[in-house]
């Protein structure tokens, strides 16, 4: 985004990660504003637009990318605290940020909302049932928002990444049976390539943006043969669930 001339306010619960991003982008305070933030704190989220406007003067788009996965266990073994935490970050955080910024986006001549769902938002993954439910909620929320905003200047895209090489496992504070997600046999797309696809979708006002050949293939398979697709991914993920 910064390479394309944008000014970016980055939110992260980990300040060091923000500073690392700033360094990678060779950015200074004129182009990148690092904000250490917990998006589950609704009162603080509602105060965010004022902080960004004070620094940059305007807001033209948001990308709701914050997300965590759940421990790789069955629903029967997942405590309610973990269920609520995943929903608060992945769904309610997305809704809160969207609602906080939407009035300002509607005042712009052109604006965009990008919400990151997941391949798990349309494909049931055993051991990630609550994560999938949260991402499915993001999908439907985004599609409803798209319909509501169709006659306005605000565009909405919902993104479905497949396996991406990020540190989502470590950032979620969990461990994976067998050590890595690669034990499922999936090849992860680089984060850089994923970002390129997402930004291209944003620039082209795509409604659905599928990131990775796995996401595109499983979307097709889920629509053509949903039960087969469910059993296919169950076998793929069996080693991770234990």
């Amino acid at each position: 985004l910064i390479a394309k001339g944008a000014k970016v306010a980055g939110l992260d619960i980990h300040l060091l990660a923000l500073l690392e991003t700033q360094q990678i982008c060779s950015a200074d305070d004129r182009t990148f504003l690092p904000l250490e933030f917990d998006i589950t704190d609704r009162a603080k989220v509602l105060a965010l637009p004022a902080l960004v406007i004070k620094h940059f003067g305007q807001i033209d788009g948001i990308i709701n990318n914050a997300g965590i996965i759940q421990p790789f266990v069955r629903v029967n073994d997942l405590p309610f605290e973990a269920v609520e935490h995943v929903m608060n970050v992945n769904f309610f955080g997305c809704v809160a940020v969207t609602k906080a910024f939407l009035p300002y986006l509607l005042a712009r001549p052109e604006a965009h909302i990008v919400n990151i769902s997941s391949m798990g938002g349309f494909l049931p993954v055993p051991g990630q049932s609550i994560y999938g439910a949260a991402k499915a909620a993001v999908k439907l929320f985004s599609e409803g928002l798209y319909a509501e905003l169709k006659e306005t200047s605000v565009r909405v895209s919902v993104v479905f990444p497949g396996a991406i090489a990020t540190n989502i496992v470590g950032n979620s504070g969990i461990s994976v049976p067998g050590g890595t997600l690669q034990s499922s046999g999936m090849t992860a797309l680089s984060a850089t390539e994923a970002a390129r696809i997402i930004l291209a979708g944003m620039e082209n006002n795509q409604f659905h943006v599928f990131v990775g050949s796995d996401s595109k293939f499983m979307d097709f398979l889920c629509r053509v043969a949903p039960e087969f697709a469910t059993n296919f991914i169950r076998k793929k993920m069996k080693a991770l669930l234990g």
Side-chain angles (χ1 to χ4, degrees):
L1 280 166
I2 290 172
K4 289 175 176 286
K7 296 176 181 178
V8 177
L11 311 180
D12 200 306
I13 199 168
H14 304 294
L15 180 60
L16 289 179
L18 286 168
L19 298 178
E20 181 186 9
T21 299
Q22 186 174 33
Q23 185 178 28
I24 291 170
C25 297
S26 300
D28 56 29
D29 290 344
R30 293 171 295 178
T31 54
F32 185 78
L33 175 63
L35 295 170
E36 186 178 14
F37 230 85
D38 180 357
I39 63 167
T40 66
D41 189 329
R42 192 172 300 168
K44 289 186 177 180
V45 168
L46 294 177
L48 265 174
L51 291 176
V52 178
I53 291 175
K54 181 179 180 180
H55 192 84
F56 288 131
Q58 66 191 57
I59 300 165
D60 297 294
I62 56 173
I63 300 175
N64 281 307
N65 185 52
I68 57 171
I69 58 175
Q70 68 176 73
F72 276 90
V73 298
R74 294 171 174 82
V75 172
N76 190 50
D77 301 316
L78 193 67
F80 272 108
E81 291 80 6
V83 172
E84 291 165 355
H85 185 49
V86 169
M87 291 300 297
N88 284 337
V89 173
N90 292 0
F91 178 61
F92 289 115
C94 174
V95 173
V97 171
T98 300
K99 282 185 62 62
F101 282 95
L102 186 53
Y104 301 91
L105 298 177
L106 285 166
R108 300 297 299 158
E110 183 179 0
H112 209 115
I113 296 170
V114 177
N115 290 335
I116 311 297
S117 179
S118 170
M119 182 170 72
F122 61 79
L123 172 70
V125 179
Q128 289 295 319
S129 297
I130 300 303
Y131 169 80
K135 288 301 188 177
V138 170
K139 173 185 182 292
L140 264 294
F141 167 66
S142 304
E143 291 170 342
L145 200 60
Y146 169 91
E148 291 180 7
L149 298 173
K150 185 66 177 177
E151 305 303 323
T152 74
S153 61
V154 182
R155 301 291 173 258
V156 179
S157 298
V158 56
V159 180
F160 304 97
I164 310 296
T166 69
N167 192 31
I168 191 170
V169 173
N171 289 337
S172 301
I174 68 169
S175 60
V176 177
T180 68
L181 292 175
Q182 269 58 50
S183 57
S184 67
M186 294 184 177
T187 301
L189 192 70
S190 73
T192 300
E193 179 61 12
R196 187 196 65 77
I197 294 169
I198 292 168
L199 292 183
M202 186 180 191
E203 291 174 326
N204 292 313
N205 291 325
Q206 281 181 244
F207 179 38
H208 283 178
V209 181
F210 295 94
V211 182
S213 57
D214 53 350
S215 181
K216 294 176 184 177
F217 172 71
M218 292 309 302
D219 171 65
F220 171 78
L221 193 61
C222 281
R223 287 184 284 112
V224 173
E227 185 176 3
F228 178 86
T230 299
N231 284 312
F232 174 82
I233 201 68
R234 180 186 64 83
K235 292 176 183 177
K236 279 276 188 181
M237 304 297 289
K238 188 175 182 180
L240 296 178
L241 188 56

